[in-house]
Every structure is written in structure tokens, then in C-alpha cells.
Amino acid sequence: MPRELLILRHAKSDWDSVATSDFDRPLAKRGKSDAPKVGAWLYREGLVPDLVVSSPAERAKQTASKVCKCLDIKKKQILWDADIYEAEVPKLLSVLGRCSPEAAIVLLIGHNPGLEELLMHLVGEDLEIPDDGKLLPTATVARLEMPDDWGALPCGSAQLISITRPRSLKG
């Protein structure tokens, strides 16, 4: 069964908020408009995930909620995994390894630099870095074709299908 991983960096966060910690920082106005754009695009493309795993940090939670609303996925169906916050590749691989074998499409919502490092690990040396140097700016989705086993993801085991930035989407 072909599997896909959708890696979504949280939408633009509000650096001027009164949040007392990085974990509690909410989405900015742009983030609040970009997240539903991404959700609507995923829906139009037929990329409705079987499993959504998100960081519980506020900006990731808000992103996940807005994206999933467009996909007719209820908040209670989202798996909130604290291991995603500030995670490096080994921890993110562990998160993916816990995904159900029945999940054909998994949406992983989290943060940089971990998500960019995960993308580089999964795709390997074939990954081209964009001219601006940013693989996953906020609210960007990387779509990958994955091997059959979520628990066995060595370097270069995935094939990049696309990277979609919110500014390229109709609103």
C-alpha cells in the first residue's frame, strides 16, 4: 500500500503576543489566514490524512485545528504529541514509528528546525534547497511518498512529491 507523509510547519506565529513562553505563542493574523488555505488545498487535492499528529504548542495546535476543520477532521481526532516540540530527527522518527500501520496518509504538524532536518533525512541528497534557503517556511507542506513501514525510515527512504507554500495557494 503506498504511503504518504505530509510535513506541515505551523503557520506564522505572533512574536508580539503577550505569551509568557515560546510554547504558548499563538498564530499571527497571517497565520490565521494561511492555515485554512492549506487545509482547503489539501482537501481539493484529495490529501485527507488518516492520521494527524501535531505538536501541542499553541501555534501548532491552532494550525492543526484550522487545517483539520477544512478536512472535516474533528479536534478530538488529532493526536497531540509533546515529543514533536523542539524535536530533532531521532525523536521525530520515533513519533512516525508510532503511527498506525493502517495509516496511508499521515499529516505531521510541527516546528523548524526539526521538520526541515526530518525532510532532509527522509529525502536524502536529492533534495534541492530553494533559492531563498528556506525549505519549510511557515504553513508550508512537504508531500512525500514513503516506504511501507513507518518504523523503518533510513536516510533517503522517501521520495519528495512536492513542496507547497501558502502564498502559491488561492485563498
Side-chain angles (χ1 to χ4, degrees):
M1 170 172 67
R3 296 186 191 282
E4 289 191 21
L5 174 62
L6 305 169
I7 300 174
L8 172 60
R9 182 177 173 202
H10 65 77
K12 181 78 176 154
S13 62
D14 184 358
W15 286 92
D16 296 326
S17 82
V18 294
T20 56
S21 71
D22 177 71
F23 188 86
D24 295 324
R25 197 163 17 99
L27 290 181
K29 186 177 178 182
R30 188 177 95 205
K32 290 177 184 175
S33 69
D34 281 350
K37 270 193 221 174
V38 171
W41 175 79
L42 290 171
Y43 186 80
R44 284 193 309 271
E45 294 293 310
L47 297 172
V48 178
D50 302 302
L51 177 62
V52 179
V53 188
S54 176
S55 162
E58 186 60 28
R59 59 198 179 274
K61 279 176 74 169
Q62 289 180 329
T63 300
S65 297
K66 289 179 179 302
V67 167
C68 287
K69 185 175 182 179
C70 297
L71 297 168
D72 293 325
I73 296 172
K74 294 177 178 28
K75 274 190 210 177
K76 66 182 180 190
Q77 294 173 276
I78 301 168
L79 179 62
W80 306 107
D81 193 327
D83 283 349
I84 299 170
Y85 182 69
E86 295 186 333
E88 294 179 356
V89 171
K91 194 154 266 192
L92 291 169
L93 290 172
S94 174
V95 168
L96 291 173
R98 295 192 295 267
C99 291
S100 167
E102 283 79 47
I105 300 177
V106 171
L107 173 58
L108 176 68
I109 303 168
H111 314 269
N112 271 351
L115 291 184
E116 283 189 356
E117 292 166 358
L118 175 66
L119 179 59
M120 289 188 280
H121 168 83
L122 291 172
V123 175
E125 294 178 11
D126 294 340
L127 190 60
E128 287 186 39
I129 306 297
D131 293 338
D132 65 5
K134 296 177 184 176
L135 272 175
L136 293 175
T138 55
T140 296
V141 181
R143 181 180 177 198
L144 292 87
E145 184 178 316
M146 301 296 288
D148 289 339
D149 184 354
W150 290 114
L153 301 172
C155 186
S157 60
Q159 185 85 28
L160 180 66
I161 298 170
S162 64
I163 294 179
T164 305
R165 296 182 177 200
R167 68 174 178 236
S168 71
L169 303 174
K170 294 184 174 100

